[in-house]
Amino acid sequence: MDWLKLYVSRVLRIMPLFLLAMFFLFLLVAIESGFTLKESLPNLIWHTGQWILFMEPDVNVLKGTKYLIVGVQWSLAFEWLFYCSLAVIGSLFFRIKTSITTILLTSLGLVVFVLIIHEYYPILAWEKMSPFLGGIAAAFPTRNQRVGNFVANPWLTPALAALLYLSLLNYSTVFSPVPYLCICLIFIAIACGNDFFGILTLKASRLLGQISYSIYLLRGLLLYTTFQFIIHGATAEKLSPLSYWCVISGCCAVLILITCQTYYFIERPLLNRTDIVTKQVRDFIAKRMQPSALATKEAAVIANSVLHHTAEQEAAK
């Protein structure tokens, strides 16, 4: 298991776009604050650092800062908690060879994100982590060709659609046992190759899947900008249902155009550099370790010379 490559790929997949979202979040905070510093500079820097680690403090005394991005950063804290747990899980339960350094570093990250979640997202924390179990469960049947052929059969799709209807329209939360089980079964079926009568293999569907992370992160910023600066609150309150949904549809179209650009110019190029960046990081670590290795080698040579010289002296006596 190449743990370094795994974590490099996760950083390149998640952080660049998240940092872009943070830039626009702080820009909106500055605009709402009239570009006036309303808290001490150390506090502002501290709150900025907290946001980079997926926490949600109010910035520059702007109440409800998290609503500018509709609070989506909470799930990234849980995602990084999962990533940091992988090395420990792999070494303990799947006998994956893992270095002590990797276990120590990821365990440190695990502790950090446990504390973050305990402080900011304690409500239903275990329920919010439970979907990872569905993902883990899906990893096993996808390797079985017979299971894949069975689940990918079109005749099973109506049953999956019924499960989807049951889970989404009859329960207030997906974390209840029945909808949770339904969603897990649907996910496993899709992972094994069921394409819902070809809908999931359409070019448009695949595009929406590729840009989904951008949509997830940037939608709140677009909605806030639209209803705060383009259609002001008082005007928005007077919109008819039809007018409101026309505005939302327009926002969706603009959002897709924006997120296509962020995917093709930020997400995909950086993700495609995973191998290159991994090699660069590995070479950097090797160079940092090299002086120590040379010093050890030199010490060994000196020790051998001393022993040899001592042995010659003893022989001469």
Side-chain angles (χ1 to χ4, degrees), residues 88-134:
V88 178
I89 293 174
S91 60
L92 290 179
F93 299 104
F94 296 96
R95 297 181 180 179
I96 296 175
K97 186 178 181 180
T98 308
S99 68
I100 296 298
T101 302
T102 300
I103 292 178
L104 289 177
L105 290 176
T106 54
S107 296
L108 177 62
L110 188 61
V111 171
V112 168
F113 284 106
V114 165
L115 294 175
I116 290 173
I117 290 170
H118 180 268
E119 179 68 23
Y120 282 93
Y121 315 113
I123 300 175
L124 299 177
W126 288 107
E127 287 83 349
K128 291 174 182 176
M129 286 188 283
S130 61
F132 291 113
L133 296 176

Side-chain angles (χ1 to χ4, degrees), residues 147-158:
V147 174
N149 293 337
F150 173 78
V151 176
N153 200 305
W155 68 263
L156 190 62
T157 304

Side-chain angles (χ1 to χ4, degrees), residues 239-285:
L239 291 176
S240 66
L242 179 60
S243 298
Y244 172 78
W245 284 111
C246 286
V247 172
I248 293 298
S249 299
C251 287
C252 288
V254 172
L255 181 62
I256 289 175
L257 290 175
I258 293 173
T259 52
C260 282
Q261 305 309 309
T262 56
Y263 174 75
Y264 283 109
F265 291 103
I266 298 176
E267 292 185 70
R268 191 171 72 169
L270 288 172
L271 191 58
N272 288 341
R273 289 183 59 83
T274 296
D275 290 334
I276 297 174
V277 174
T278 302
K279 184 179 183 303
Q280 291 173 340
V281 173
R282 187 168 280 124
D283 290 343
F284 175 79
I285 295 173

Side-chain angles (χ1 to χ4, degrees), residues 29-237:
V29 169
I31 293 172
E32 291 287 9
S33 304
F35 293 95
T36 302
L37 188 61
K38 297 183 178 181
E39 64 178 348
S40 66
L41 184 59
N43 281 343
L44 181 65
I45 295 174
W46 172 247
H47 291 155
T48 300
Q50 286 181 297
W51 270 98
I52 300 303
L53 285 176
F54 317 113
M55 292 175 263
E56 53 180 24
D58 291 333
V59 179
N60 206 28
V61 200
L62 181 64
K63 296 296 182 182
T65 300
K66 64 181 180 180
Y67 296 116
L68 274 65
I69 198 172
V70 294
V72 296
Q73 76 292 329
W74 73 267
S75 65
L76 297 179
F78 283 86
E79 189 167 346
W80 276 109
L81 175 72
F82 173 69
Y83 293 147
C84 290
S85 70
L86 286 178
V88 178
I89 293 174
S91 60
L92 290 179
F93 299 104
F94 296 96
R95 297 181 180 179
I96 296 175
K97 186 178 181 180
T98 308
S99 68
I100 296 298
T101 302
T102 300
I103 292 178
L104 289 177
L105 290 176
T106 54
S107 296
L108 177 62
L110 188 61
V111 171
V112 168
F113 284 106
V114 165
L115 294 175
I116 290 173
I117 290 170
H118 180 268
E119 179 68 23
Y120 282 93
Y121 315 113
I123 300 175
L124 299 177
W126 288 107
E127 287 83 349
K128 291 174 182 176
M129 286 188 283
S130 61
F132 291 113
L133 296 176
I136 294 172
F140 297 97
T142 54
R143 301 176 184 180
N144 190 307
Q145 187 64 41
R146 293 178 61 184
V147 174
N149 293 337
F150 173 78
V151 176
N153 200 305
W155 68 263
L156 190 62
T157 304
L160 297 175
L163 291 178
L164 186 63
Y165 173 84
L166 175 66
S167 59
L168 295 183
L169 299 182
N170 292 279
Y171 292 89
S172 59
T173 173
V174 75
F175 295 117
S176 298
V178 173
Y180 172 75
L181 180 60
C182 292
I183 291 296
C184 287
L185 291 175
I186 294 168
F187 178 79
I188 291 172
I190 293 173
C192 288
N194 192 291
D195 57 9
F196 271 70
F197 296 119
I199 293 176
L200 298 181
T201 55
L202 293 175
K203 189 175 181 179
S205 300
R206 296 172 63 186
L207 173 64
L208 288 174
Q210 290 174 323
I211 65 175
S212 59
Y213 180 52
S214 289
I215 291 175
Y216 181 69
L217 274 186
L218 303 180
R219 59 193 169 93
L221 296 169
L222 178 62
L223 288 172
Y224 185 86
T225 301
T226 300
F227 285 98
Q228 185 69 9
F229 303 111
I230 301 175
I231 303 175
H232 298 287
T235 304
E237 291 177 357

